[in-house]
């Protein structure tokens, strides 16, 4: 068993250190001890003590936790201000929960149920954890980059004059070194540089290990350049104070040079092997250099191991003084050298990512940490004399405020949105008109909207909005084309009050920006209504980031246009086929695909309200560039049904034998086909489904409630289809994957002929493509005929 900590042999805090006192370092180190213990114990309990019902390994990353425990203890106990917001490396979740436990913001019950239902989560979760998580993490890279966007959102609010500069926090990410391989990190660095990012810290837990093995040395020499190029200040915390002191002794320079040249894999292997192995290797490599032998002889094996693992990221004094010395708002990257599994028996071993200490090793650790048997969960077990002082310290930690760090932002009333008239138009045009009208209005909600788009602002029809409300820029810039009197319908002027965040083409950034904007009310106390636009197929590019934004329960409106093969000449590379099922399957996102603009108008109004409800969701609108004639309506009764997901556009007769069901831009073909069908089957109906998602969710949850709940409310789609004969046939059609609607046959047992796109498309005009991919009028009529031929 390796020594748990190294500080017994660490030099005393120097008396000139104005940023940190020796007493404080000692106190925080004691708290760190508890954190290190509790994190390991929480994982051990989940894997070895809690009864297992299924025999599966529970897991929990003791090595990744130990790697970050010193840094997190330094931050939470000695550096953070309440207004700072933190994204914690996902697999250091047990450390985070242990710190919250010491703060009194996490319960023993939650820790005991770590990774079991209702307990503390495997990875910090804003929505599922009960303690004070600022940003969810889990999918590596995303939790890091979201902090940059949160900082931009904070600046937007400050520049708008709705947030006090004094209240600005630092947006801090703690990241594993292997996370630096995720491309979205660099997309965020580029975007951050363009927007003068500030108040953002990324702290790298440089333990030289990834999940599989050892991280590349070669690349690591380049990271400083990359960060500096994009405006960051990089601070290396490589050597702990004990090492720094050793370098000053005779033979020390040779030792430092050896450390600097040592490859990552060797450093890790020797860390695992311990003091004797260090000595043997050091003597072989530099033993002939002056004074090295004497220097090494001044350490016994245990102390030599302590010296060689005394890296910057495990030196409390160094961490505290470094973090506290930062007095500028420039973004800072701290490269903290650490040991994966620090102080634990598998430290440095390349296979330790999923490693767990066995009961004997845990028992040894317990004794080493001075935790009496049976008191493993006690905050200050074995520290009776100091318990009161430690509790007192914790109660006075600035970050440990009694107030909740999340805000409840006011709900913004949603006015009636503009009537889009009856002229032939597309839903994309309708969207642009609504945004343009909102831009001109003086409604409070319009002032709180923020739009963003990855270089498709104009082509998704946000141009009118941007002309009115401007682009957000901290420094402001006139539109040179305008001042040079070059004619353009688009004004591209940025200023502090601008309400559009311009993004380069990187859909990950779009979703991370929407995540940060959509948490603005909770993070900063000022609600924003984010509206993001992109081409529908490129949802796939940022899908994990979209999922991440939804997992955090950020609220936004996503407008995806154009979509399907209906964008026609652009061809298969830009056509989206399976996005409807993404919309249906994505939790915390409601998918709509209106055909007409009176539908769109009501859906957007509903969406702006729904986004603000505590139990609401984000909203995804799959829109089209295809102009359609607008229907004449008979009264308003259809609206309520439409907002539940479906309505009879042409009501069937009671007991009718046939219905066509459609979603989106194929409304024209569905209507044409219906007119022909009506000649043979006068009672046939036409069901419009602007939200396959809503009707499916409601139906499937009503089915799940059967036999479980005493009263099961009939779902909306069940009620609509109950007008038809039990033997009726259905033809469904959508410009998207047919599975979006084919399930409708299961609601009441009707036979279904599902039409849709299930192959990559090609270029063409709408008629050619609808014919080729069998969603045109002829195809619908053929399907109707086949449906009738079915028994
Ligand atoms: C997007 C994504 N891909 C893969 C994983 C699986 N995974 C979990 S941790 C990890 C790498 C761990 O290395 P590092 O980031 O250096 O953290 P350490 O455990 O060394 O502190 C990987 C690949 C993930 N969580 N997210
Ligand atoms: Mg690592």
């Amino acid at each position: 068993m390796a020594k748990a900590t190294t500080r017994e042999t660490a030099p005393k805090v120097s008396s000139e250190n104005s940023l940190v006192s020796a007493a404080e370092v000692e106190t925080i180190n004691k708290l760190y001890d508890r954190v290190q213990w509790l994190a390991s114990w929480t994982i051990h309990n989940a894997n070895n003590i809690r009864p297992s019902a299924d025999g599966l390994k529970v897991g929990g990353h003791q090595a990744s936790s130990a790697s970050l425990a010193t840094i997190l203890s330094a931050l939470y106990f000695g550096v953070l201000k309440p207004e700072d917001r933190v994204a914690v490396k996902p697999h250091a979740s047990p450390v985070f929960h242990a710190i919250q436990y010491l703060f009194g913001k996490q319960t023993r019950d939650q820790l005991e149920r770590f990774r079991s239902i209702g307990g503390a989560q495997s990875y910090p979760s804003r929505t599922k954890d009960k303690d004070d998580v600022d940003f969810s993490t889990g999918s590596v890279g995303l939790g890091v980059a979201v902090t940059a966007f949160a900082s931009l959102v904070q600046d937007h609010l400050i520049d708008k004059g709705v947030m006090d500069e004094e209240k600005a926090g630092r947006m801090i990410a703690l990241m594993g070194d292997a996370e630096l391989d995720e491309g979205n990190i660099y997309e965020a660095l580029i975007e951050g540089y363009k927007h003068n990012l500030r108040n953002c810290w990324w702290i790298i837990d440089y333990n030289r290990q990834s999940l599989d093995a050892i991280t590349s040395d070669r690349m690591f020499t380049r990271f400083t350049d990359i960060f500096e190029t994009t405006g960051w200040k990089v601070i290396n915390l490589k050597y702990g104070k004990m090492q720094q002191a050793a370098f000053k002794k005779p033979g020390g320079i040779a030792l430092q040079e050896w450390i600097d040249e040592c490859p990552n894999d060797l450093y890790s292997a020797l860390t695992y092997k311990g003091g004797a192995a260090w000595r043997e290797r050091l003597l072989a490599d530099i033993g002939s250099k002056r004074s090295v032998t004497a220097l090494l002889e001044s350490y016994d094996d245990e102390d030599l191991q302590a010296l060689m693992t005394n890296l910057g990221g495990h030196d409390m004094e160094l961490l505290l003084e470094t973090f506290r010395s930062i007095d500028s708002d420039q973004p800072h990257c701290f490269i903290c050298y650490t040991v994966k599994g620090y102080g634990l028996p598998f430290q440095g071993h390349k296979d330790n990512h999923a490693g767990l200490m066995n009961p004997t090793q845990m028992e040894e650790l317990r004794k080493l940490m001075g935790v009496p048997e049976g008191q493993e969960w006690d905050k200050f077990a074995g520290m009776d004399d100091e318990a009161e002082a430690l509790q007192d310290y914790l109660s006075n930690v600035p970050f440990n405020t009694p107030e909740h760090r999340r805000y409840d932002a006011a709900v913004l009333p949603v006015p009636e949105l503009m009537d889009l008239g009856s002229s032939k138009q597309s839903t994309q045009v309708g969207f642009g008109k609504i945004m343009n009208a909102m831009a001109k209005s003086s409604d409070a909600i319009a002032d709180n909207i923020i739009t963003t788009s990855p270089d498709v602002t104009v082509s998704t029809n946000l141009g009118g909005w941007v002309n009115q409300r401007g682009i957000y820029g901290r420094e402001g810039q006139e539109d040179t084309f305008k001042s040079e009197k070059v004619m353009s319908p688009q004004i591209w002027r940025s200023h502090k009050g601008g309400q559009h965040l311009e993004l380069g083409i990187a859909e990950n950034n779009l979703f991370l920006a929407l995540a940060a904007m959509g948490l603005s009310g909770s993070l900063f106390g000022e609600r924003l209504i984010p509206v993001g636009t992109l081409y529908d197929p490129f949802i796939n590019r940022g899908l994990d980031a979209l999922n991440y934004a939804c997992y955090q329960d950020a609220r936004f409106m996503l407008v995806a246009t154009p979509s399907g093969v209906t964008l026609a000449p652009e061809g298969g590379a830009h056509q989206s086929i399976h996005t409807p099922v993404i919309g249906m399957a994505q939790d915390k996102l409601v998918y709509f695909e209106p055909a007409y603009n009176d539908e769109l108008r009501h859906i957007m109004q509903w969406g702006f309200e729904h986004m603000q409800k505590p139990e609401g969701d984000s909203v995804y609108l799959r829109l089209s560039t295809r102009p359609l004639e607008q229907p004449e309506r008979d009264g308003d009764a259809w609206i309520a049904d439409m907002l539940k997901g479906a309505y009879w556009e042409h009501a069937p007769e009671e007991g009718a034998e046939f219905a066509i069901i459609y979603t989106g831009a194929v409304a024209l073909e569905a209507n044409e086909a219906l007119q022909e069908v009506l000649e043979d089957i006068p009672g046939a109906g036409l069901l419009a489904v602007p939200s396959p998602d809503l009707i499916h969710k409601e139906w499937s949850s009503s089915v799940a409630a059967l036999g479980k709940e005493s009263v099961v409310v009939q779902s909306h789609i069940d009620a609509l289809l109950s007008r038809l004969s039990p033997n009726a046939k259905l033809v469904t059609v959508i410009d998207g994957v047919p599975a979006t609607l084919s399930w409708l046959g299961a609601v009441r047992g009707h036979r279904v002929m599902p039409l849709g796109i299930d192959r990559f498309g090609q270029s063409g005009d709408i008629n050619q493509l609808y014919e080729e991919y069998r969603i045109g009028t002829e195809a619908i009529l053929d399907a109707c005929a086949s449906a009738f031929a079915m028994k």
Side-chain angles (χ1 to χ4, degrees):
M1 168 73 64
K3 220 172 198 174
T5 60
T6 57
R7 61 187 172 281
E8 302 90 80
T9 41
K12 291 267 167 288
V13 173
S14 67
S15 51
E16 322 78 86
N17 196 333
S18 58
L19 292 168
V20 198
S21 74
E24 210 176 359
V25 173
E26 202 183 325
T27 303
I28 297 180
N29 260 327
K30 283 184 183 145
L31 293 170
Y32 153 76
D33 254 1
R34 291 291 109 166
V35 167
Q36 170 80 314
W37 162 254
L38 282 166
S40 291
W41 178 250
T42 299
I43 299 166
H44 182 73
N45 176 69
N47 285 276
N48 293 290
I49 299 176
R50 196 170 67 210
S52 162
D54 54 14
L56 280 188
K57 173 182 166 181
V58 180
H61 307 109
Q62 282 171 331
S64 301
S65 293
S67 179
L68 199 59
T70 334
I71 296 171
L72 279 176
S73 299
L75 283 173
Y76 279 94
F77 300 134
V79 177
L80 296 180
K81 304 180 288 177
E83 55 272 26
D84 294 334
R85 298 285 178 267
V86 190
V88 175
K89 184 183 77 165
H91 27 301
S93 157
V95 178
F96 170 79
H97 292 305
I99 290 172
Q100 294 288 318
Y101 180 61
L102 293 185
F103 277 153
K105 294 186 169 172
Q106 177 58 292
T107 61
R108 172 173 165 177
D109 172 63
Q110 283 286 297
L111 296 186
E112 284 186 290
R113 291 195 286 145
F114 173 61
R115 290 191 165 218
S116 84
I117 193 140
Q121 297 296 296
S122 319
Y123 309 115
S125 168
R126 264 186 80 82
T127 51
K128 305 276 185 277
D129 272 317
K130 298 185 172 49
D131 47 5
D132 203 11
V133 176
D134 291 327
F135 298 104
S136 301
T137 53
S139 178
V140 297
L142 299 178
V144 178
V146 81
T147 56
F149 291 98
S151 184
L152 294 183
V153 168
Q154 181 174 256
D155 277 343
H156 171 69
L157 298 177
I158 292 169
D159 289 338
K160 242 177 125 145
V162 294
M163 188 178 162
D164 198 346
E165 169 81 46
E166 303 285 292
K167 293 265 166 64
R170 294 161 297 195
M171 304 296 118
I172 300 176
L174 294 132
M175 61 195 287
D177 47 341
E179 289 194 66
L180 284 163
D181 285 333
E182 285 288 4
N184 82 277
I185 298 269
Y186 304 95
E187 295 176 357
L189 284 180
I190 291 169
E191 210 54 61
Y193 185 62
K194 291 190 220 162
H195 292 280
N196 294 320
L197 175 69
R198 60 185 192 129
N199 289 320
C200 192
W201 289 6
W202 288 358
I203 302 171
I204 302 173
D205 175 1
Y206 185 33
N207 58 26
R208 308 168 207 243
Q209 290 184 236
S210 59
L211 187 157
D212 281 337
I214 301 294
T215 48
S216 156
D217 312 76
R218 191 170 159 78
M219 193 54 217
F220 224 84
T221 57
R222 313 307 304 163
F223 287 125
T224 300
D225 288 355
I226 294 173
F227 276 92
E228 285 176 353
T229 298
T230 49
W232 290 60
K233 184 162 172 63
V234 178
I235 296 183
N236 263 286
L237 282 86
K238 183 166 184 179
Y239 322 105
K241 297 240 163 176
M242 214 158 53
Q243 285 193 349
Q244 291 176 27
F247 300 155
K248 293 198 181 110
K249 295 181 188 168
I253 292 174
L255 178 65
Q256 183 174 9
E257 282 170 0
W258 184 91
I259 289 176
D260 287 347
E261 280 163 26
C262 182
N264 281 349
D265 49 3
L266 180 62
Y267 212 95
S268 301
L270 293 174
T271 297
Y272 176 69
K273 288 170 82 177
W278 285 114
R279 186 180 310 281
E280 191 185 334
R281 184 68 192 223
L282 285 166
L283 285 173
D285 287 355
I286 52 170
S288 59
K289 296 200 176 171
R290 232 158 63 132
S291 312
V292 168
T293 309
L295 178 67
L296 296 180
E297 272 170 5
S298 68
Y299 298 90
D300 66 16
D301 281 354
E302 203 172 337
D303 285 343
L304 187 57
Q305 168 77 337
L307 175 72
M308 297 306 281
T309 56
N310 174 243
L311 303 177
H314 294 302
D315 190 310
M316 194 61 79
E317 184 194 351
L318 180 69
L319 288 166
L320 289 168
E321 74 184 11
T322 307
F323 293 142
R324 287 179 181 180
S325 70
I326 309 304
D327 55 6
S328 87
D329 63 8
Q330 187 182 359
H332 274 73
C333 170
F334 302 89
I335 302 179
C336 300
Y337 281 66
T338 55
V339 170
K340 190 155 172 171
Y342 183 63
L344 306 182
F346 41 50
Q347 62 179 336
H349 196 293
K350 72 176 176 54
D351 303 335
N352 66 10
H353 186 79
L356 292 173
M357 280 183 274
N358 63 32
T360 315
Q361 291 170 325
M362 250 342 260
E363 187 58 12
E364 274 185 55
L365 184 69
R366 183 183 66 72
K367 287 182 189 145
L368 193 71
M369 293 284 199
V371 177
E373 197 169 4
Q375 296 178 32
E376 290 86 354
W377 292 110
D378 291 3
K379 282 187 191 171
F380 306 115
M383 303 171 110
D384 298 345
D385 296 350
E386 297 147 306
E388 205 174 313
L390 289 172
Q391 186 53 59
D392 205 40
Y393 182 88
L394 281 171
S395 309
N396 288 302
V397 165
F399 186 78
N400 193 15
T401 54
E403 295 90 48
H404 207 33
R405 290 175 57 257
R406 285 194 196 174
Y407 298 99
D408 285 322
V411 171
L412 301 157
V414 182
E416 200 162 295
L417 300 185
M418 91 178 279
D419 186 336
L420 292 161
S422 56
S423 63
K424 186 176 178 183
Q425 56 191 311
S426 69
T427 46
Q428 174 171 313
V429 164
F431 163 71
K433 283 186 179 170
I434 286 179
M435 292 303 294
N436 201 20
M438 288 187 87
K440 288 188 177 134
S441 82
S442 53
D443 298 318
I445 191 166
D447 292 340
N448 286 48
I449 286 178
I450 178 158
T451 58
T452 186
S453 182
D455 200 23
V456 288
T457 308
V458 177
S459 49
T460 52
N461 240 12
L462 265 180
W465 162 268
V466 172
N467 280 351
Q468 317 274 335
R469 294 281 173 159
I471 290 166
Y472 169 59
R474 297 196 55 222
E475 275 161 9
Q477 198 176 341
E478 281 310 313
D479 182 337
T480 308
F481 278 74
K482 191 159 190 278
S483 49
E484 291 293 327
K485 299 195 169 42
V486 179
M487 291 287 281
S488 163
Q490 193 64 55
I491 308 164
W492 214 250
R493 182 175 80 92
S494 71
H495 57 100
K496 281 189 166 182
Q499 285 180 254
H500 177 77
L501 182 73
E502 189 187 359
L503 293 176
I505 330 164
E507 285 72 15
N508 275 309
N509 281 343
L510 168 73
F511 292 119
L512 291 170
L514 290 175
M517 293 165 176
L519 293 175
S520 167
S522 165
L523 289 175
F524 306 118
E526 182 73 13
R527 188 188 294 276
L528 289 176
I529 306 286
V531 178
T533 68
L534 86 171
Y535 294 175
D536 194 51
F538 304 130
I539 284 180
N540 293 308
R541 173 69 75 100
L543 193 51
D544 194 29
L546 168 62
N547 180 60
Y548 173 73
C550 293
Y551 179 62
Q552 306 221 59
D553 204 13
R555 300 294 177 75
F556 49 89
M557 186 175 281
L558 178 66
V559 180
T561 173
S563 59
V565 300
T566 306
L567 60 72
E570 296 262 6
H574 277 32
Q575 294 162 350
S576 59
I577 295 173
H578 57 263
T579 43
V581 288
I582 290 175
M584 289 175 76
Q586 181 62 55
D587 191 16
K588 299 304 292 173
L589 184 74
V590 179
Y591 149 55
F592 283 94
E593 182 164 353
Y596 306 118
N597 278 338
D598 52 2
E599 294 173 356
L600 175 71
R601 168 191 174 206
H602 293 292
I603 290 167
M604 284 184 70
Q605 184 161 338
W606 179 93
F608 286 135
E609 281 164 6
H610 188 71
M611 284 162 65
Q612 301 191 64
K613 291 189 172 156
E615 296 311 314
D617 307 270
S618 291
V619 178
Y620 158 40
L621 309 181
R622 188 173 188 255
L623 303 186
S624 167
T625 40
R626 182 186 198 190
L628 285 178
E629 298 289 354
Q630 301 297 308
E632 278 184 24
R633 305 288 188 182
D634 192 10
D636 286 342
W638 63 279
I639 299 171
D641 274 4
M642 189 274 295
L643 290 174
K644 288 193 227 160
Y647 65 99
W648 285 114
E649 188 173 338
H650 179 94
E653 281 174 7
E654 203 64 51
E657 295 292 330
F658 186 74
I660 298 175
I661 302 179
Y662 79 94
T663 291
V666 291
L668 173 63
E669 287 69 22
N671 268 282
E672 280 177 1
L674 179 78
Q675 294 315 314
E676 293 212 22
V677 168
L678 284 174
E679 289 174 14
D680 297 327
I681 315 164
L686 179 67
L687 188 72
V689 183
S691 180
D693 186 16
L694 279 182
I695 54 171
H696 183 267
K697 263 198 197 101
E698 194 203 8
W699 169 68
S700 59
S701 62
S702 76
V703 171
L706 286 172
K708 230 168 73 185
E709 282 161 33
S710 49
V711 185
V712 176
V713 181
Q714 185 185 29
S715 66
H716 178 53
I717 188 63
D718 195 327
L720 289 173
L721 294 179
S722 70
R723 283 184 76 115
L724 302 175
S725 150
N727 300 317
K729 310 288 190 312
L730 311 176
V731 169
T732 63
V733 57
I734 179 172
D735 177 4
V737 64
T740 315
L741 296 174
S742 61
W743 60 272
L744 283 166
V747 177
R748 297 185 71 83
H750 294 122
R751 296 293 298 262
V752 179
M753 295 291 290
L755 300 180
I757 314 291
D758 48 16
R759 289 173 287 148
F760 289 117
Q762 56 178 313
S763 306
D765 65 31
I766 289 180
N767 291 336
Q768 290 165 336
L769 295 176
Y770 279 16
E771 194 186 329
E772 173 73 18
Y773 298 101
R774 306 293 297 150
I775 56 172
T777 309
E778 279 308 310
I780 299 174
L781 288 171
D782 288 349
C784 295
S786 307
F788 265 97
M790 290 194 294
K791 284 271 171 284

